[in-house]
Amino acid sequence: MRDIVFTRESGWIPNVIREDGELKLMLGAGADANHSPRTFTFPIGEAHLAVVREDLARHLLLWSAVLPLCDDAGTRGQLDENAAVALLDPILLSAPADVDALFHRIPWDRGRLIAHGADIDLLERGQVCAAMRAATESSNGKRAQEYHANRRRAERGTVLAPLDAAILKYTGQYLHGATVPRRMPDAVDPALLPEVMRVIATAEQACAGMRIGRDPRRGKRATDKRDWDRMATTVDAAVRRAHPGLVDDAVRTVSFLMCSEAADRSRSTPMEDDAEAGGDRADFGGSARKTILSFTDDKGVEQKWRLSDSGRTATAEFWEFVGDHSAGDNEVFTIEDEKMGEGIQLHFYADSIARITTVREGGGGSDPEYRVEYSLVDGIGGYRKLVSTFVRGGCAALEQHGPWMLDVAEFERARRRRREAQ
């Protein structure tokens, strides 16, 4: 039989219950292996109950000290009741100086006290009882999050000026640096917002006209890491030059915002090829050399593209095909023009490409003879250029994008030299 004897407004602050005639403190903390909340209890006396009823500060201090014991219990262990009971008299019945001394020796949950209004400066000086004079039953979790975020920054040697903090709040990264940035002007002190917007304007001007392209090698929504790094470097340099007083965290969050927005714009547009993006509609022009192409991957999947019944360019269709099928174990893709007897094979795992032309058709029981030439490729931008060139002009048009190597050993040496140079 369990009856609640005393509870506070906040349901998370430990309750006092009577279970089978015995007074106990009951609190929820942590989670079990199924991610369900765990509940712990341990016995208390009537004198302890009297303090818990009358003194919110001591009640919260006890909670803060017991929580580490709950953490130690993990997902299925038992609370160390002896250790919990041993905290009762020193925290609830001792003089403030003795309580302060105890908190110098034991682990305790600082964030819990800060969320309930503790004076942070006094806590930092070890005056826990004095810090809890302003304690409230209601909890402000954001206050604790801000404290922990600033403490992590301080451990890295970073101290935010008001403008730095305002910029981080504008991008939503003040509390968590891993949060995807977005524009939140309402989160900024109105007095600082004009300065924040000047910094944002500097970043926007620096990357005007730059874009982050898609990288179908890594999936349908992946974007080009080189484009991202190029934009981030450009924005970083411009912001640091125009606003030299900003800390690294503030500069990085601005460049992250610019890159994230550019990547989102790229993901929200259809997969198109470089030629089409630049206004060259050669694939639709009637004189285009390639009218039927076959796309294949390393798993045997094949897709046909025909100019006569396609509403999109061959290059756009091909990169859509890559985005749909590319994976860690599927990194070789081929475009073939069976009529012309030529094709290209893209080796994403090796940053290389092969162009393949038919030298002699098979017949009379003999196999066809092919000429295979290899070349290194510089990132997804290089692949896009080569694919677009092949679609418009075939293998002959690729000659200018060499060098092309017939000898496999020579090609492997070139690959090795590039790896060593990187």
Side-chain angles (χ1 to χ4, degrees), residues 165-198:
I167 290 171
L168 288 166
K169 289 177 180 179
Y170 178 86
T171 63
Q173 290 200 301
Y174 182 75
L175 298 180
H176 303 289
T179 302
V180 176
R182 57 194 187 281
R183 300 183 186 231
M184 302 172 60
D186 291 344
V188 180
D189 182 342
L192 288 170
L193 187 58
E195 289 187 70
V196 172
M197 297 313 298
R198 280 193 286 272

Side-chain angles (χ1 to χ4, degrees), residues 192-421:
L192 288 170
L193 187 58
E195 289 187 70
V196 172
M197 297 313 298
R198 280 193 286 272
V199 175
I200 298 300
T202 299
E204 290 172 335
Q205 292 165 9
C207 63
M210 299 182 74
R211 61 186 291 269
I212 296 178
R214 304 275 284 276
D215 188 349
R217 298 174 301 173
R218 296 166 46 230
K220 288 180 69 70
R221 292 182 55 79
T223 52
D224 188 350
K225 185 178 184 301
R226 289 191 181 187
D227 284 352
W228 181 294
D229 292 343
R230 190 178 301 115
M231 183 179 288
T233 299
T234 300
V235 172
D236 273 17
V239 171
R240 291 181 194 279
R241 187 167 53 249
H243 309 278
L246 295 177
V247 299
D248 288 347
D249 287 25
V251 175
R252 278 195 297 267
T253 197
V254 173
S255 62
F256 193 5
L257 176 66
M258 296 297 113
C259 292
S260 295
E261 290 181 341
D264 283 343
R265 288 193 294 271
S266 179
R267 294 188 189 102
S268 65
T269 57
M271 189 83 74
E272 299 296 347
D273 65 279
D274 295 335
E276 186 169 357
D280 180 357
R281 305 284 295 197
D283 285 33
F284 289 106
S287 62
R289 184 176 180 190
K290 302 301 180 188
T291 57
I292 302 176
L293 292 172
S294 175
F295 309 147
T296 57
D297 67 1
D298 210 23
K299 300 289 188 180
V301 178
E302 182 177 10
Q303 178 177 314
K304 293 284 187 181
W305 174 86
R306 292 178 175 83
L307 178 60
S308 59
D309 58 12
S310 177
R312 304 177 68 195
T313 64
T315 44
E317 289 277 356
F318 172 72
W319 289 118
E320 194 78 42
F321 177 77
V322 171
D324 287 336
H325 300 285
S326 182
D329 61 347
N330 195 21
E331 297 184 285
V332 178
F333 288 80
T334 302
I335 309 176
E336 184 179 0
D337 184 337
E338 296 177 4
K339 181 178 179 181
M340 298 300 299
E342 62 181 10
I344 54 174
Q345 188 174 70
L346 288 61
H347 314 128
F348 295 148
Y349 66 91
D351 287 329
S352 66
I353 189 172
R355 66 173 180 174
I356 306 163
T357 53
T358 304
V359 175
R360 180 177 56 81
E361 297 285 350
S366 64
D367 293 330
E369 181 181 345
Y370 300 104
R371 178 184 177 89
V372 182
E373 301 165 282
Y374 301 91
S375 184
L376 299 175
V377 182
D378 187 18
I380 186 62
Y383 278 119
R384 282 187 175 278
K385 182 184 297 182
L386 292 168
V387 168
S388 183
T389 300
F390 172 77
V391 167
R392 292 198 304 270
C395 281
L398 292 171
E399 187 63 36
Q400 61 181 313
H401 297 291
W404 295 93
M405 291 163 268
L406 274 167
D407 184 69
V408 175
E410 178 189 359
F411 172 64
E412 288 301 328
R413 286 193 295 271
R415 281 187 60 200
R416 185 164 58 252
R417 287 193 297 271
R418 180 172 64 178
R419 284 198 306 268
E420 293 170 353

